């Protein structure tokens, strides 16, 4: 089992940047594929980015491609989401998620494919 705690959210002006962190407990973090999702008020949860446990494979949602970067540091049990050129439409609660997998190159984009979730961190982008 793994517990996830997000941090780094806040209020930022459009065009600005934020870096979210997701710290994971447990000794087998390197066996988990990780993902970031977001949910705005009144909207469904949306896939943002995913990374394999090897760190060598990443995938992004169309709305953030070219602006956001997902990365991980397995030695620190942490996954990051660097968000640049933020827009008001990026305003949402951001969640990280984990799925244990034996395949180092796999990533997942469906929320139902993940087993563990953090509590979320609010990101607000003002215009």
């Amino acid at each position: 089992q793994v517990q996830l705690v997000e941090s780094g959210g806040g209020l930022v002006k459009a065009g600005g940047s934020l870096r979210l962190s997701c710290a994971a407990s447990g000794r087998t973090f390197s066996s988990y594929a990780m993902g970031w999702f977001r949910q705005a008020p009144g909207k469904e949860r949306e896939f943002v980015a995913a990374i394999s446990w090897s760190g060598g494979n990443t995938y992004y949602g169309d709305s953030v491609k070219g602006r956001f970067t997902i990365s991980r540091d397995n030695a620190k049990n942490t996954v990051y989401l660097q968000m640049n050129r933020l827009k008001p439409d990026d305003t949402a609660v951001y969640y990280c998620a984990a799925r244990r997998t034996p395949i180092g190159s796999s990533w997942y984009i469906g929320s139902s494919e993940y087993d563990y979730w953090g509590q979320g961190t609010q990101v607000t982008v003002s215009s």
Side-chain angles (χ1 to χ4, degrees):
Q1 185 148 352
V2 63
Q3 293 183 323
L4 306 173
V5 179
E6 302 96 334
S7 61
L11 174 64
V12 63
K13 292 184 178 180
S17 298
L18 281 175
R19 188 175 82 154
L20 305 183
S21 299
C22 174
S25 64
R27 295 175 293 177
T28 58
F29 176 72
S30 59
S31 298
Y32 287 84
M34 302 296 294
W36 285 97
F37 292 77
R38 66 187 183 186
Q39 189 165 18
K43 295 187 177 181
E44 294 186 354
R45 190 164 294 190
E46 176 189 13
F47 168 75
V48 175
I51 188 166
S52 61
W53 63 248
S54 71
N57 298 82
T58 58
Y59 190 79
Y60 297 91
D62 288 341
S63 61
V64 307
K65 203 172 296 183
R67 299 188 298 123
F68 291 11
T69 303
I70 188 171
S71 62
R72 66 189 295 161
D73 185 337
N74 288 343
K76 295 183 178 180
N77 282 12
T78 302
V79 64
Y80 304 97
L81 185 68
Q82 178 66 43
M83 305 186 295
N84 298 328
R85 291 184 281 139
L86 283 160
K87 306 174 182 179
D89 284 349
D90 295 319
T91 295
V93 177
Y94 284 71
Y95 299 90
C96 71
R99 169 184 169 140
R100 188 161 186 174
T101 173
I103 305 172
S105 59
S106 292
W107 39 258
Y108 304 90
I109 64 173
S111 59
S112 62
E113 297 182 282
Y114 287 87
D115 303 312
Y116 304 101
W117 292 82
Q119 82 291 347
T121 186
Q122 176 70 47
V123 171
T124 303
V125 184
S126 63
S127 57

